[in-house]
Amino acid sequence: MAKKKKKSKNMMERYHGPLIENEVVLGYIKLVPWLTLVISGMIFWGMTIGNWTDAYRTLFEVCIYYSAFAIVISFFDKFILKFKIFVYLLISLIFVVLTIDISCINLLLISQGGLSSEMMVVCVYIAIGLFLIFSFVYAWYYLPKNQGKIWAINQWETYEKLLKNKKLMKFLKPLPVVAFVLIVIAVLSGHENYIECVFGVLNGILDLFAFPALVVDAIYGAIYISGNPSYDELE
């Protein structure tokens, strides 16, 4: 689906934080809600089979209704262009729904490690805490005095330097083999569930590090578009 921003020659691209490569645009409303609707729907269907509390079912039921509402809005281009601020805020909440969906999947993987229900509740609170922490970190970079700062972690030049470090590459070279051997040992010894648990933890941290950047950028897009109403257009 083609999306293009129409900007005048004198209008610079808006700031989009130190992590993401491109800013969130209005066109996201036409794609992301479909993704969240499918994931939320599958999780909600799975909850009808398992032993889940009503609070979790209600949460994903709300996610489904919200995604459906966003999908309906996505068919009305004139409405999107007329109420850009509202649509940007809508997109920010859609990314919150996506974060909830992916975090739930990661928590299901973590639960394969045989954690107690109390520990799973702790994991939920940790996930919420990480989301809020990273959201505040990204919001700090959107303050006028901090805009323009970049992180070395998402710059290709940083990794080019690491690749040229012969001592580091010599140390990292056997790691894939070691990881493969550990996976084989875990599977053969009947502990493959721990692999899913570790993957859930690592992927969960990575997702909670990345998704808040999209949420915050969409909110900033709503603020920016209020002063530059012709910045983002649909094509």
Side-chain angles (χ1 to χ4, degrees):
M1 187 172 295
K3 302 183 290 291
K4 185 177 181 180
K5 300 186 291 292
K6 296 180 181 179
K7 298 182 283 289
S8 64
K9 294 181 179 179
N10 297 325
M11 188 179 295
M12 298 177 61
E13 289 189 4
R14 71 171 177 84
Y15 178 69
H16 53 75
L19 180 65
I20 56 179
E21 186 69 22
N22 297 295
E23 71 271 23
V24 173
V25 296
L26 291 174
Y28 281 36
I29 193 67
K30 294 183 174 292
L31 176 62
V32 183
W34 289 97
L35 180 61
T36 57
L37 180 66
V38 172
I39 299 176
S40 297
M42 292 178 64
I43 294 175
F44 182 77
W45 176 78
M47 287 180 175
T48 61
I49 301 174
N51 185 21
W52 294 80
T53 62
D54 291 337
Y56 289 111
R57 292 194 185 96
T58 302
L59 173 63
F60 283 96
E61 192 173 4
V62 171
C63 291
I64 291 172
Y65 287 140
Y66 187 80
S67 299
F69 173 72
I71 289 173
V72 172
I73 295 296
S74 70
F75 288 107
F76 299 94
D77 288 358
K78 291 183 178 179
F79 180 90
I80 294 173
L81 295 175
K82 186 174 182 179
F83 300 99
K84 293 180 181 180
I85 296 176
F86 170 76
V87 174
Y88 266 111
L89 294 176
L90 193 66
I91 293 172
S92 70
L93 290 177
I94 280 294
F95 280 123
V96 172
V97 172
L98 183 60
T99 304
I100 294 173
D101 288 340
I102 302 301
S103 296
C104 181
I105 295 173
N106 290 324
L107 287 171
L108 289 173
L109 292 174
I110 294 173
S111 68
Q112 299 302 310
L115 298 180
S116 63
S117 58
E118 291 79 10
M119 284 301 300
M120 290 304 299
V121 172
V122 172
C123 290
V124 171
Y125 282 121
I126 291 174
I128 294 173
L130 288 175
F131 177 82
L132 293 176
I133 290 171
F134 286 125
S135 295
F136 282 117
V137 169
Y138 294 129
W140 186 82
Y141 277 92
Y142 281 88
L143 297 175
K145 64 178 181 179
N146 299 322
Q147 290 188 13
K149 296 179 181 180
I150 60 174
W151 288 354
I153 191 174
N154 66 331
Q155 302 299 314
W156 177 244
E157 292 78 7
T158 301
Y159 301 99
E160 285 184 332
K161 293 179 182 179
L162 292 177
L163 291 173
K164 293 178 181 178
N165 189 323
K166 294 182 179 179
K167 291 184 178 179
L168 179 62
M169 295 308 297
K170 186 177 181 180
F171 172 76
L172 295 177
K173 192 173 182 179
L175 289 184
V177 177
V178 174
F180 177 76
V181 171
L182 291 176
I183 291 174
V184 171
I185 292 175
V187 173
L188 294 178
S189 61
H191 293 86
E192 62 272 10
N193 288 343
Y194 289 105
I195 300 175
E196 298 178 10
C197 182
V198 172
F199 178 80
V201 171
L202 296 178
N203 192 57
I205 294 174
L206 180 62
D207 292 336
L208 291 168
F209 173 72
F211 285 126
L214 298 172
V215 175
V216 173
D217 188 72
I219 295 174
Y220 178 75
I223 298 172
Y224 185 87
I225 211 74
S226 64
N228 301 273
S230 63
Y231 178 77
D232 196 357
E233 303 287 348
L234 291 172
E235 185 177 84

